[in-house]
Amino acid sequence: MPDRLVARLAAAALRLPPTRPNPVRVTRDIAIQARDGVVLRTDHYAPAARDAPTVLIRTPYGRGGPLRPLGRLLAARGRHAVIQACRGTDGSGGTFAPLVHERDDGVDTLDWLRRQPWWAGQLGMFGVSYQGFAQWALAADADEDLRAMVAVVTASATRDSTYAGESFALDTVLTWAELLHAQTVPWLARQWELKRGQPRLVAALRHLPLADADQVATGVTIPFFQEWLRHHDPEAVYWRTRVFADRVARVRAPVAMVSGWHDIFLPAQLDDYATLRATGAQPRLVIGPWTHGSPGLFVAALREGLAWLDEHLTSAPRSPVPSRPPVRVYVSGPGGGWRDLPDWPPPAVETAWHLHPGGELAVRPPVASTPDEFRYDPADPTPSVGGPLLVAQRAGPVDNRHVEARPDVLTYTSAPLTGPVEVIGPVRAEIHVRAELPHLDVFVRLCDVDRRGRSWNVCDGLVRVTPERSPADPDGVLRVPVSLWPTAYRFAAGHRLRVQVSGGAHPRWARNPGTGEPLGTAVTLRAGWRQVLHDPAHPSALLLPIVHSAPPQPPI
């Protein structure tokens, strides 16, 4: 199907305001030279008007696919669309090294734009996932030319998402490495691998040592995968030039953020939102019931993003008053729906739901009780199901009953609710643990148990415990704070809240071998018992932000 027809169909599907017919001129494979001589291949979609604003998209995923109709759509709406392949991808020279060159290559591309006869001095940027990292790398250096940003399921810093809870996001990192490598293999070979269910990737996620997993998945060594296995320390010099969080506060352009409750980068993206708010900025924030790659996310991102660019890519003075509520979130669960909020997070009452003996979860204080115990065996690691994953088909809410039936998963369940309970905001837990081994993981998941007994995951989090980070008290007990993914969820009357506590969620997080060996080379696996305490001296609990919301708003 021709790009121009796809663009017209997309505009109709997105219910965009009609525009006058606008001829689009496309120039492909422009060679933009970076400061080190590397050529960055770039496509330019030009509108009829020369002095129109420019929208820049820098991507490692190729300039074709959905970006071609998007380029035409932008140009048809009176924008110069400039789509560039990051170095080492889709014809651009050099070697792709994630996050390393994006600032310099972005600055060099902006310098090229400023020299073009059609440059009007107004820049917008749009990007999903890694394309958003490329935006943050450049944004602070774009000065007053940058008039608007649209950052979709992305963040300024990837380090904390890579090592969420100081473990290692194995599924995300290795799957992404395999996806990037797949762009270099013949199309038919890739389709055959997908049809077979990606058996090499599945085997690689199970493989030890992890330093060989990239070879198992792709047949080659992936340099950045090896580096990320080695540079785990948050203070490592390696990460100082690969994260851009310290530059967010310098960005003065209006920023629109779109994410999903089951997105891999949601906590980091909300950190960027908080940084912008602390500067006095008023970013637009939309969070829906989406995963990293769900189709609904991309529809919402295009609708929100194009409206944001239309609003801010003009020569008129910027209005200090937002034209719509700055925050819009989807409250999942029965009776939920869209909510418009003045800020994130909204006011809430943090309520402790305590773990009790007999697998009970209740708001009443803990009572004298003996600990619950389970044995975690990294040779048979507790599996991850659903939640924030890179691959949309496996992500999101799923029925957890088969995992909860395992002997290495503890569950604590409330009585049926007498009325709805709405939770909007950050979620955290404090779990008191005694363990046989000093190296362990603590995984906590909140689920909604419906009237049929199905247990649907809402949000979760994991913390890797080491003797250095989590010293035990004289009785050998560790107080482990766990930050779960933030959420907006409505638990209906008659449903029950459930908390899972276990020793891992593999392969979403790399299994903890129990030995303290280095991440990439560990092969020895040690099993051990864990105790979860819930007495008055050790009040293990899930802390939920309870709100009383206005009625649902119309759909986005």
Side-chain angles (χ1 to χ4, degrees):
M1 186 180 295
D3 297 343
R4 56 178 60 86
L5 178 56
V6 173
R8 286 199 297 270
L9 293 174
L14 294 169
R15 302 192 299 274
L16 298 175
T19 58
R20 294 179 180 178
N22 192 347
V24 176
R25 302 185 311 276
V26 182
T27 307
R28 304 197 190 280
D29 290 321
I30 301 169
I32 297 178
Q33 192 169 49
R35 65 192 65 187
D36 60 356
V38 165
V39 169
L40 304 174
R41 292 294 174 183
T42 305
D43 295 343
H44 176 208
Y45 298 78
R50 285 166 59 93
D51 58 344
T54 297
V55 176
L56 174 64
I57 301 172
R58 303 192 62 252
T59 179
Y61 304 122
R63 291 163 286 148
L67 289 183
R68 286 189 174 179
L70 177 57
R72 287 190 173 275
L73 187 61
L74 286 165
R77 300 179 68 79
R79 308 286 182 252
H80 289 278
V82 176
I83 301 176
Q84 182 179 86
C86 295
R87 67 168 59 204
T89 69
D90 193 24
S92 289
T95 301
F96 180 65
L99 309 170
V100 175
H101 302 285
E102 306 310 347
R103 179 191 173 274
D104 288 349
D105 288 353
V107 169
D108 294 346
T109 300
L110 180 55
D111 287 344
W112 179 86
L113 288 171
R114 286 168 171 159
R115 296 194 302 270
Q116 302 314 299
W118 42 264
W119 172 251
Q122 300 168 38
L123 176 68
M125 293 194 291
F126 182 98
V128 179
S129 193
Y130 190 92
Q131 299 162 3
F133 302 140
Q135 287 187 70
W136 284 118
L138 171 62
D141 294 296
D143 302 322
E144 290 299 313
D145 286 344
L146 182 60
R147 302 295 181 88
M149 280 179 59
V150 181
V152 183
V153 289
T154 190
S156 64
T158 58
R159 189 268 160 198
D160 290 345
S161 298
T162 301
Y163 306 104
E166 296 308 318
S167 180
F168 183 66
L170 174 62
D171 186 280
T172 292
V173 176
L174 188 56
T175 300
W176 189 58
E178 193 273 343
L179 183 153
L180 290 170
H181 175 73
Q183 296 180 166
T184 68
V185 304
W187 185 85
L188 283 176
R190 176 59 177 169
Q191 298 311 304
W192 176 241
E193 183 70 7
L194 291 172
K195 184 176 178 63
R196 296 169 63 222
Q198 296 180 275
R200 293 195 301 172
L201 176 60
V202 171
L205 290 168
R206 294 195 299 258
H207 184 81
L208 290 176
L210 289 181
D212 296 338
D214 53 350
Q215 280 273 355
V216 174
T218 69
V220 300
T221 298
I222 309 292
F224 81 82
F225 181 78
Q226 297 294 323
E227 293 165 4
W228 290 5
L229 290 175
R230 293 195 302 270
H231 297 292
H232 192 286
D233 186 346
E235 303 302 321
V237 174
Y238 175 89
W239 288 103
R240 292 180 188 172
T241 57
R242 290 170 169 82
V243 299
F244 312 109
D246 60 347
R247 303 164 65 81
V248 172
R250 293 166 47 194
V251 176
R252 294 293 175 261
V255 180
M257 298 179 172
V258 182
S259 191
W261 295 120
H262 293 277
D263 180 60
I264 54 181
F265 298 120
L266 177 61
Q269 187 157 17
L270 289 176
D271 287 345
D272 290 339
Y273 174 86
T275 298
L276 290 171
R277 291 291 291 124
T279 69
Q282 184 63 82
R284 168 75 167 166
L285 176 66
V286 176
I287 311 176
W290 305 310
T291 64
H292 193 73
S294 57
L297 167 75
F298 293 109
V299 171
L302 286 172
R303 190 176 297 152
E304 281 285 329
L306 292 173
W308 191 256
L309 294 172
D310 285 348
E311 181 178 352
H312 295 285
L313 281 185
T314 68
S315 57
R318 300 174 192 170
S319 170
V321 180
S323 59
R324 52 187 169 175
V327 178
R328 188 165 173 83
V329 302
Y330 186 85
V331 179
S332 301
W338 288 100
R339 303 280 195 273
D340 289 326
L341 305 173
D343 205 352
W344 175 268
V349 177
E350 187 176 70
T351 304
W353 288 73
H354 289 100
L355 278 54
H356 285 270
E360 185 184 6
L361 182 71
V363 293
R364 68 176 186 275
V367 297
S369 58
T370 57
D372 296 318
E373 186 170 314
F374 67 94
R375 185 174 185 271
Y376 176 78
D377 183 359
D380 178 24
T382 314
S384 56
V385 292
L389 295 171
L390 187 64
V391 178
Q393 293 87 339
R394 296 189 286 113
V398 299
D399 187 353
N400 279 235
R401 284 179 293 180
H402 68 287
V403 172
E404 293 169 351
R406 288 175 59 104
D408 56 359
V409 178
L410 300 177
T411 61
Y412 301 85
T413 309
S414 75
L417 299 172
T418 58
V421 172
E422 198 157 285
V423 176
I424 304 180
V427 179
R428 62 190 183 96
E430 290 188 357
I431 308 297
H432 295 259
V433 179
R434 186 184 288 120
E436 181 179 0
L437 304 174
H439 296 274
L440 66 147
D441 290 348
V442 177
F443 176 73
V444 179
R445 168 169 275 186
L446 169 64
C447 292
D448 176 13
V449 182
D450 65 19
R451 292 176 182 268
R452 294 171 52 186
R454 296 174 299 182
S455 182
W456 303 99
N457 51 291
V458 174
C459 60
D460 53 42
L462 178 144
V463 167
R464 177 149 293 191
V465 175
T466 67
E468 300 77 22
R469 285 197 297 267
S470 306
D473 69 11
D475 295 326
V477 178
L478 306 164
R479 185 186 70 85
V480 183
V482 182
S483 294
L484 282 68
W485 255 238
T487 193
Y489 197 91
R490 189 177 189 270
F491 295 86
H495 287 216
R496 293 173 291 161
L497 280 68
R498 176 171 291 165
V499 171
Q500 298 175 17
V501 181
S502 62
H506 182 268
R508 181 173 157 199
W509 278 278
R511 77 188 90 195
N512 193 319
T515 62
E517 293 179 279
L519 178 67
T521 58
V523 291
T524 302
L525 303 177
R526 292 185 62 190
W529 54 260
R530 318 279 167 82
Q531 292 182 334
V532 174
L533 293 80
H534 36 59
D535 56 73
H538 308 98
S540 294
L542 180 76
L543 296 107
L544 296 178
I546 308 296
V547 303
H548 299 283
S549 292
Q553 306 299 316
I556 192 167

